[in-house]
Amino acid sequence: MKIHMKHSLISIALTAFIALLVGSFSGTPAGAAGWQTKVDPWVRERAGYGPAEFLVVLAQQADLAPAAGLPTRVEKGQFVYDALRATADRTQPPVLALLDEMGVAHRSFWIANIIWVRGDLGVVQALAARPDVARVAANPRVALQPPITAAQSDGPSGIEWNINLVGAPQVWAAGVLGQGAVIAGADTGYDWDHPALKNMYRGWDGAVADHNYNWYDAIHSGGGICGPDSPEPCDDYGHGTHTMGTMVGDDGGSNQIGMAPGARWIGCRNMNVGFGTPASYTECFQWFMAPTDLNGDNPNLSLAPDVINNSWSCPPAEGCTWNTLQMVVENTRAAGIVVVASAGNSGSACSTVNTPPSIYEASFTVGSTTSADTISSFSSRGPVTVDGSNRLKPNVTAPGSGVRSSVPNGGYGISSGTSMAGPHVAGLVALLIAADPTLAGDVDGLEDILESSAVEKTISIENCGGVPGTQIPNNTYGFGRIDAFAAYLEATGVKLFLPAVSRP
């Protein structure tokens, strides 16, 4: 978000003046209070004008380390959920009571012990001055980075080139289509009754739709053509429907667009006509960990997904700090759920993997390749430097240039971007779990297979972060381009060759 210098200087002066007044009224010298160090600059500036949205991160966070030793996704999920809820229930009441007393809007989250608040600078100071508050983070309205190119499809072509390239049909030939696995999508929503998606939607039994536990809308105002709090899956932007098609899409005819047509999918809308916030992203992660009915009640952890696709970013340029969603992603992974994140479309410069959630160690980050099996020019490169980690990213790459998939109203379209690459990996996770159900919840094991089975890809002209592009892994391709059949063989130990087929 660009701010003219004149307005910025006025804002800084106004913020300082209000802070001085607040300090005077509270009896605390403003210069000695120290509360400002806990508050993101974005919040201090915006709250100086009047009420702004922000996230209050409490100091006490749950210890989730024991979850790693539990054997199943359900057991991990239950432990993580219980620990997170207990921590929030124990530590949030005093802060919530203060917010009620001040009469400001707020919403409590347990997934990372945070509270969404809308308040002015006086509210910000009152919260930041508390010893039980670690920091006050920004909650900006963040625009979805649109696909690089988009076009209407010129018609069906059977199994799409990208699905063939990564070897998914060879896995189908073994009778493995993703059955028993659940894929989640957090995006702009979904056209659930699209011919290529309807039969895979967990809320459809072939005769009746039941959206409880299968759909959640984190958009509570606006919502474009869907309106707020949509009671059924709806896509107000078109992006989510395209990504879901690459995960599971198959219309039973000649539109074979998805990696895992035997998997089931559930969805959460985390963007309002292409704009999300850290709070809306958090709300979807929380719902996926413990799906509820349409009223947000009666959570059922056994219905949590195995993998979540995240084809979106939360850029610092819009006010998001690098650690805004870190605990949310880490806690989701601790619950035994694979978090797939698109690398971003800011390449080809180095260290352009620079936005949540793609930057995190807990995210499995995916770059984009072309139909020629080379890196897409737009695909963001590593290493991650915004957090000082110098972490190698992406983890792997997958087709993302010129991908044909489903679009709202029953159609098909071609788009390019790492948003198109990530869904391939989410679909492959479903195939691996279908091949070996004991992999469900074993995030380390699944990620190891995805990396070690990838087709090694190098590039001699790139040397990002001091890592030669000729080395494996590198900061352009990661461990390489995914290979579904090689991953299947590694997961199962099967050694025979299974030829590709036209239809599973």
Side-chain angles (χ1 to χ4, degrees), residues 150-157 160 255 403-405 407 411-415:
Q152 290 299 308
S153 169
D154 57 1
S157 60
E160 290 296 329
N255 289 292
V403 173
R404 180 178 179 272
S405 189
V407 296
Y412 298 86
I414 299 172
S415 290

Side-chain angles (χ1 to χ4, degrees), residues 73 176-184 200-202 247-248 260-266 302-307 426-437 439-441 446:
R73 180 186 58 74
V176 176
L177 288 78
Q179 58 270 36
V182 178
I183 297 174
M200 298 77 175
Y201 175 50
R202 195 173 69 181
M247 292 185 251
V248 300
R264 303 290 263 173
W265 69 268
I266 61 176
S302 69
L303 296 177
D306 297 297
V307 58
L428 179 49
V429 169
L431 292 178
L432 295 177
I433 291 172
D436 180 4
L439 287 171
L446 286 163

Side-chain angles (χ1 to χ4, degrees), residues 411-460:
Y412 298 86
I414 299 172
S415 290
S416 297
T418 58
S419 285
M420 286 65 248
H424 290 82
V425 175
L428 179 49
V429 169
L431 292 178
L432 295 177
I433 291 172
D436 180 4
T438 66
L439 287 171
D442 182 5
V443 181
D444 286 340
L446 286 163
E447 292 181 348
D448 287 347
I449 292 170
L450 292 168
E451 290 177 344
S452 62
S453 64
V455 177
E456 295 184 351
K457 304 292 291 185
T458 60
I459 183 166
S460 60

